[in-house]
Structures are given as structure tokens and as C-alpha cells.
Amino acid sequence: MPGGHIDALSRRAAALHRAATGDGNGSPVTTPRLPAREDAERELSRPEYHEHDPNFFQRALDWLWDRIGDLLSAAAGAAPGGWIGLAVLALVLVLLLVALRLRLGTLRAQPATGAAPLFADRLRSAADHRAAAESHAAADHWGAAVQERMRALVRSLEERALLDPRPGRTADEAAAEAGTALPDHADQLRVAARTFDEVTYAGHPADQAAYALLRDLDLALLRAIPALPTALPSPAPSPRGGTT
């Protein structure tokens, strides 16, 4: 039986070990210690003694867990309250990470603000963009509603000839150009463009208040009267020469 064979091998190895070390029940050592130790090492190196040894991966994993356990034990010894204190510190760290994640929102690389054109699809009227914005707002899709309302605002200015229709115009460029024609609304136009950029390019969430800001500005611009260009001063009349 395999078990009997292993037991026999174990008894033989134990006998060799006692012969190598001189251990036993007081029996004299009849083999010199160095040759006996070499015999014992050769015997114990035989494959049948190592059939159930853990493989390399298991040994590496055991070593890693031992090191982690040592580190945790050292940290528990240094932390106030031992293991309980260490658990509390770990919980506080997790809560801080969650709060930071919620505070910063989606972590992603932010492309240059306003780098893409405002209108990326087929030409649509201001009324079409307003209808799309209201539809998104009714479904609480505030990000899409903000985008469509900004497009409606700019398209409306183009339809009124306050902006020249120009492919590839960005929201920032449209706000800067419209602010020249409508200086009373220049600050609101910059805020609207920044809101559009944050939603479209930086992935910031929009809400009802952000949409209401663009909707109100769009409606206000429909009634806004553009500023007249500054008239050039009339040339002063030249003095008449001579006397009458």
C-alpha cells in the first residue's frame, strides 16, 4: 500500500537521521557522522519524499502572504488600539477615497475646452434645436438639453444675421463674437459657453439650473437689440481764410 511504503521510507529516513546525528536511545554511533549525514541527505533528496511538496507558485504565494501578515502585524502594533485601530484607519481611508471620487466626478483626461465645432451634424434651424432641447429636458437628460439649447442660441443669432454662419465655429468663439454685437449679454454668453464646454468636453454633469440658464439667455437674446457701431467723429470744418 502507498501509505505503508511512505511509512517505511519515513522510518528509514529517521534511522539515517539518528545515525547522522548520533541521536537514539544511547546506542553507540557505528558510522562516522559526516558520511552518515551525506547518506541521510541523499536519502531525503529522493523524489518520493517530495511528491506532496507545494509547487513554486504555491511557495511564492505562501511567502507573499507571510510578508503581508508581517506588515499588517507591524502596522497593528504601531497603530493606536492594535488591530481595531488599524481597521478603523482603513475604513476612514476608504471613506475619504469615496468622498473624493464623488466630489471630483468622472476622472478622465479633459480635452482642450471648446476644441470641437459647436455644430457637428446636419444643418438644423434654431427652432429644431430648441425643440430637441425641450424634449431632452422633459426626460431629465440635462446634458443633452444644455448642448441643444446652446446650439439653438447660436443658430438663432446666425438667423438674425448677428453672427455670420461659419462652419467649425466653437461655443467660445460664438460667445466672443456675439458679445461684441450684444455687449449687455457678453458675460452671460461666456458663462453659457463655459457650461456647454464643461458638459460636452469635460464630462461634468448638468442639471436643471444649468439648462434654465441657457434657456433664459436664449429667450432674452431674441428680444435683445444689437449695439449700433460707434460712429466715426465728423471732421472739423476748416477755418475760412481771409476777411469779409
Side-chain angles (χ1 to χ4, degrees):
M1 295 177 60
H5 178 64
I6 296 298
D7 290 341
L9 290 174
S10 299
R11 287 194 297 271
R12 184 177 179 186
L16 288 172
H17 177 72
R18 288 194 300 272
T21 58
D23 294 336
N25 298 321
S27 58
V29 177
T30 59
T31 305
R33 289 195 176 187
L34 182 57
R37 183 179 296 110
E38 292 175 352
D39 290 341
E41 291 174 353
R42 281 194 299 270
E43 176 68 23
L44 294 176
S45 65
R46 292 172 59 177
E48 53 264 32
Y49 290 103
H50 303 281
E51 292 178 354
H52 303 288
D53 288 354
N55 57 31
F56 174 79
F57 176 77
Q58 185 62 47
R59 293 197 303 272
L61 190 61
D62 292 341
W63 180 89
L64 178 61
W65 281 117
D66 289 341
R67 300 293 78 75
I68 293 175
D70 293 342
L71 289 175
L72 291 176
S73 297
W83 284 102
I84 296 178
L86 184 63
V88 171
L89 290 176
L91 179 61
V92 170
L93 179 60
V94 170
L95 292 177
L96 287 175
L97 291 175
V98 171
L100 184 63
R101 172 66 177 80
L102 294 176
R103 178 66 179 85
L104 295 180
T106 302
L107 301 178
R108 65 174 69 177
Q110 297 182 2
T113 301
L118 181 62
F119 299 100
D121 55 2
R122 63 182 178 82
L123 183 64
R124 292 192 292 173
S125 68
D128 291 337
H129 286 295
R130 288 191 185 100
E134 288 297 314
S135 177
H136 287 305
D140 292 340
H141 299 159
W142 300 114
V146 163
Q147 292 171 325
E148 288 298 322
R149 200 73 197 203
M150 185 66 189
R151 293 178 180 125
L153 184 156
V154 175
R155 184 69 77 207
S156 176
L157 294 176
E158 292 176 350
E159 292 173 353
R160 294 174 58 195
L162 296 179
L163 288 178
D164 294 329
R166 177 162 56 84
R169 174 186 278 126
T170 67
D172 292 327
E173 292 170 346
E177 295 170 17
T180 301
L182 301 166
D184 292 342
H185 299 279
D187 291 340
Q188 294 170 291
L189 284 163
R190 283 193 293 270
V191 172
R194 185 168 61 249
T195 301
F196 176 88
D197 290 342
E198 289 175 350
V199 170
T200 304
Y201 308 120
H204 289 186
D207 55 18
Q208 185 176 1
Y211 175 70
L213 183 149
L214 270 80
R215 180 198 60 205
D216 295 346
L217 177 59
D218 180 30
L219 296 177
L221 293 180
L222 289 174
R223 302 184 297 269
I225 299 175
L228 297 175
T230 304
L232 296 176
S234 301
S238 58
R240 297 179 180 179
T243 58
T244 56

